[in-house]
């Protein structure tokens, strides 16, 4: 790859001309700069459109060592002067080597291609720049977000007392859910000394296949290092309800307090959905908060054929949804929902300069009363325009397509003697690995790691990796309806070629050494 070079500036920046303030003001979006705004945005859209039209692979395989010098050479103290020149430079430092999630052979992480109405929303919300903390900064935007929260709560089935708020993503939603659960567990503990004594005894039960953000949240919430207990899973990588029941009883016998059980509707690696109805029954009987992390599986809320996989989610105390995973929205677009809106009071703080308490009496809706964030983007607009243009059934049909495609991919891999596959996903992941035969079997871990790296370096496809029971595996995450079975088969052949060559080279070298 031939990389462009930039001259290294060694002199001090020139003195700014006297007209700089006027030139800077000309860059502000207002009545006087509408034509410039149209031109600049159109140029950016055209640049991206041309890139999308010409993309023939999901990446270029560029390495940090190759790209970092180009970025480092950009002198941020010397502006280029116009948007066209900046876009030309952006080609070299970003667009040329961007990872394109819309390409059908991007099969790695939970990144989805995005729908056009959501991109329209992104353009509008960025230009208007509403901040969703208080009514006097957002007006109609506040009501649109609240309407979407109500719509999502209805889809989940949380009932008339439900509420929620948009967040930056699943990790923030999980953090806020566990904050609410912690505060409810401490609700009857008023004295600071009693609260300090209780906190080290709080425990969170979650699946051994659950998301790492649960552990991170526990740390941020000041819980003990061993507060999160990983509960074993069954053969389908779903949490075992009997083990949850036993763990609750064990904790109580040991003087510990289970403040929450976290069920998962779509684990990151396996796409497994915990038995939510059984978990809800256990938590209700034990008086324990049930949080469902449906960041991945929330697409089932609009599925015309698979909504039943979420049965029981309506009994959760809180639910995480990530529209930017399975509703085909740009990052970020996520939300936390709660069954009882009163629980959100644990995130409320009234500041006299922002949302004084008297506004509650005046029934002025301030979203900051519910959020961990203050200044916050109007990300709800993307989903709003998507629903108004496409409707939920269309989104559900797209999500059904990728789940169907994953089932096809699972059959393809399971019938291929070159590979072994773990479990069949309820959603759209396939966890598998190349399995050498004969004396090369001991090289399986290294061969799969090599195959993934070699594939990424080629730019022809991108797949993910993970560890299962201590061994290295590869993973397809299908979120693109444009991905075909032929695409999957082609990527499998590429993986087998890279891994097989690695095994051949190293097994031959080992044999030569032993003979020598």
């Amino acid at each position: 790859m031939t990389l462009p070079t930039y001259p290294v500036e060694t002199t001090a920046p020139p003195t700014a001309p006297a007209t700089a303030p006027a030139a800077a003001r000309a860059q502000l979006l207002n009545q006087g700069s509408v034509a410039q705004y149209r031109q600049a945005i159109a140029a950016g859209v055209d640049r991206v459109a041309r890139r999308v039209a010409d993309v023939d692979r999901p990446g270029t395989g560029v390495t940090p060592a190759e790209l970092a010098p180009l970025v480092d050479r950009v002198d941020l103290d010397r502006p280029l002067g116009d948007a066209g020149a900046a876009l030309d430079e952006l080609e070299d430092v970003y667009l040329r080597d961007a990872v394109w999630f819309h390409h059908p052979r991007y099969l790695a992480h939970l990144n989805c291609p995005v729908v056009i109405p959501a991109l329209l929303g992104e353009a509008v919300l960025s230009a208007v720049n509403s901040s969703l903390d208080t009514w006097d900064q957002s007006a109609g935007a506040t009501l649109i977000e609240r309407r979407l929260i109500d719509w999502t709560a209805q889809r989940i089935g949380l009932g008339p007392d439900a509420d929620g708020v948009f967040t930056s993503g699943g990790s923030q939603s999980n953090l806020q859910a566990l904050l609410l659960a912690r505060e409810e567990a401490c609700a009857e503990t008023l004295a600071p000394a009693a609260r300090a004594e209780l906190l080290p005894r709080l425990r969170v039960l979650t699946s051994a296949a659950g998301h790492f953000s649960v552990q991170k949240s526990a740390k941020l919430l000041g819980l003990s290092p061993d507060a999160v207990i990983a509960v074993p899973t069954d053969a389908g990588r779903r949490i075992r309800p009997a083990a949850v029941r036993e763990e609750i009883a064990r904790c109580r016998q040991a003087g510990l307090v289970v403040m929450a059980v976290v069920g998962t509707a779509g684990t990151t690696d396996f796409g497994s959905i915990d038995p939510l109805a059984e978990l809800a029954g256990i938590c209700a009987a034990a008086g324990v908060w049930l949080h469902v992390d449906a960041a991945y599986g929330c697409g089932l809320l609009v599925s015309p054929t698979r909504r039943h996989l979420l049965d029981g989610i309506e009994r959760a105390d809180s639910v995480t949804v990530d529209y930017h995973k399975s509703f085909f929205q740009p990052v970020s677009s996520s939300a936390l929902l709660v069954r009882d809106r009163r629980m959100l009071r644990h995130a409320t703080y009234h500041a006299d300069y922002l949302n004084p308490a008297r506004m509650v009496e005046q029934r002025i809706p301030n979203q900051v009363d519910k959020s961990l964030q203050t200044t916050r983007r109007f990300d709800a607009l993307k989903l709003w325009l998507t629903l108004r243009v496409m409707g939920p059934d269309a989104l559900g049909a797209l999500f059904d397509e990728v789940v169907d495609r994953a089932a096809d991919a699972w059959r393809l891999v399971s019938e291929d003697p070159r590979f072994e596959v773990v479990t069949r996903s309820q959603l759209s992941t396939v966890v598998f690995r190349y399995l050498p035969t004969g004396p090369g079997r001991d090289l399986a871990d290294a061969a799969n790691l090599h195959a993934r790296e070699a594939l990424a370096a080629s730019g022809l496809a991108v797949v993910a990796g993970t560890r299962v029971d201590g061994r290295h595996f590869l993973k397809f995450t299908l979120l693109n309806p444009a991905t075909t079975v032929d695409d999957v088969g082609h990527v499998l052949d590429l993986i087998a070629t890279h891994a097989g060559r690695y095994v051949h080279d190293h097994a031959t070298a080992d044999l030569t050494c032993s003979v020598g």
Side-chain angles (χ1 to χ4, degrees):
M1 178 185 297
T2 302
L3 299 176
T5 59
Y6 295 89
V8 178
E9 301 288 350
T10 57
T11 59
T15 302
T19 57
R25 284 195 298 273
Q27 296 294 332
L28 294 172
L29 175 59
N30 53 39
Q31 289 176 318
S33 60
V34 169
Q36 184 179 345
Y37 163 68
R38 283 197 179 109
Q39 183 180 16
I41 297 302
V45 169
D46 182 65
R47 191 73 62 118
V48 173
R50 282 190 276 123
R51 271 288 173 184
V52 170
D54 292 340
V55 164
D56 63 353
R57 58 185 63 190
T60 64
V62 69
T63 66
E66 292 171 321
L67 195 54
L70 293 183
V71 177
D72 291 343
R73 288 177 191 144
V74 174
D75 187 349
L76 295 176
D77 292 315
R78 288 179 175 268
L80 297 172
D82 68 86
L87 286 171
D88 289 340
E89 181 182 79
L90 194 65
E91 286 275 355
D92 293 326
V93 297
Y94 175 56
L95 289 175
R96 184 193 60 202
D97 296 302
V99 179
W100 298 100
F101 302 139
H102 73 276
H103 193 278
R105 291 179 185 170
Y106 178 88
L107 303 171
H109 303 289
L110 282 165
N111 306 111
C112 59
V114 294
V115 292
I116 293 172
L119 294 177
L120 173 61
E122 188 76 59
V124 173
L125 73 91
S126 297
V128 180
N129 201 31
S130 298
S131 181
L132 265 289
D133 40 340
T134 58
W135 172 261
D136 63 359
Q137 299 177 74
S138 61
T142 290
L143 299 182
I144 286 174
E145 176 171 300
R146 289 190 167 211
R147 181 71 180 85
L148 285 171
I149 288 293
D150 290 344
W151 176 83
T152 305
Q154 290 167 6
R155 285 274 171 171
I156 295 172
L158 290 176
D161 297 325
D163 201 354
V165 68
F166 270 63
T167 70
S168 65
S171 292
Q172 183 187 332
S173 294
N174 289 343
L175 171 63
Q176 184 165 351
L178 291 178
L179 167 67
L180 304 182
R182 185 196 70 182
E183 292 307 291
E184 280 298 293
C186 297
E188 297 180 3
T189 304
L190 301 178
R195 182 184 176 94
E197 187 276 331
L198 176 61
L199 284 176
R201 296 191 290 118
L202 294 179
R203 294 294 181 268
V204 178
L205 308 186
T206 189
S207 165
H211 197 261
F212 73 89
S213 62
V214 175
Q215 283 81 4
K216 182 182 286 188
S217 296
K219 184 175 183 179
L220 292 172
L221 293 172
L223 305 185
S224 67
D226 55 351
V228 178
I229 298 173
V231 178
T233 60
D234 60 20
R237 308 288 166 165
R238 303 159 77 232
I239 198 170
R240 292 173 49 229
V244 172
R245 189 180 290 107
E246 293 166 4
E247 193 60 47
I248 291 175
R250 187 196 68 79
C251 286
R252 287 183 171 172
Q253 190 173 17
L256 304 173
V257 177
V258 177
M259 74 176 213
V261 171
V262 179
T264 307
T267 58
T268 303
D269 275 344
F270 306 105
S272 49
I273 300 173
D274 289 336
L276 303 179
E278 290 183 73
L279 290 181
I282 293 169
C283 289
V288 172
W289 185 287
L290 173 61
H291 174 63
V292 175
D293 179 359
Y296 177 11
C298 64
L300 297 173
L301 294 173
V302 290
S303 167
T305 63
R306 295 179 170 88
R307 173 59 180 83
H308 64 280
L309 294 176
L310 293 179
D311 285 352
I313 194 172
E314 71 280 356
R315 298 172 63 188
D317 293 287
S318 55
V319 178
T320 287
V321 297
D322 269 11
Y323 308 108
H324 61 228
K325 286 187 172 66
S326 48
F327 278 66
F328 305 96
Q329 300 293 293
V331 175
S332 59
S333 185
S334 181
L336 170 70
L337 289 300
V338 294
R339 187 153 49 90
D340 183 350
R341 61 169 52 93
R342 294 175 301 173
M343 299 300 104
L344 292 171
R345 72 186 186 280
H346 297 305
T348 302
Y349 185 89
H350 292 290
D352 288 337
Y353 61 85
L354 188 69
N355 62 328
R358 66 176 181 275
M359 288 186 171
V360 177
E361 299 172 2
Q362 297 169 0
R363 305 188 70 173
I364 296 174
N366 291 321
Q367 292 296 83
V368 73
D369 295 349
K370 313 173 184 180
S371 178
L372 297 184
Q373 298 169 265
T374 303
T375 302
R376 187 163 54 84
R377 283 163 49 91
F378 183 24
D379 287 315
L381 181 60
K382 295 176 285 191
L383 180 59
W384 178 269
L385 286 178
T386 299
L387 292 177
R388 300 311 300 138
V389 173
M390 296 175 60
D393 291 346
L395 289 175
L398 289 177
F399 193 61
D400 267 359
E401 277 196 71
V402 298
V403 177
D404 288 339
R405 197 75 68 253
D408 295 336
W410 183 86
R411 282 190 290 270
L412 196 65
V413 178
S414 63
E415 294 169 2
D416 192 326
R418 299 173 297 180
F419 301 97
E420 69 168 338
V421 66
V422 183
T423 185
R424 182 168 180 171
S425 172
Q426 293 170 280
L427 294 178
S428 62
T429 62
V430 182
V431 179
F432 66 99
R433 68 173 179 160
Y434 178 81
L435 192 61
T437 58
R441 184 174 287 263
D442 291 341
L443 297 171
D445 278 3
N448 282 279
L449 285 172
H450 170 78
R452 183 190 176 204
E453 293 170 359
L455 192 62
S458 73
L460 295 173
V462 185
V463 301
T466 190
R467 288 175 69 89
V468 180
D469 301 328
R471 306 308 298 265
H472 288 287
F473 278 74
L474 302 176
K475 182 177 68 170
F476 290 156
T477 304
L478 291 94
L479 281 178
N480 190 346
T483 299
T484 66
V485 175
D486 287 343
D487 287 316
V488 174
H490 182 74
V491 175
L492 287 173
D493 287 340
L494 291 173
I495 291 169
T497 297
H498 289 302
R501 185 178 299 126
Y502 179 91
V503 170
H504 175 269
D505 292 346
H506 286 75
T508 301
D510 291 346
L511 181 61
T512 301
C513 290
S514 62
V515 171

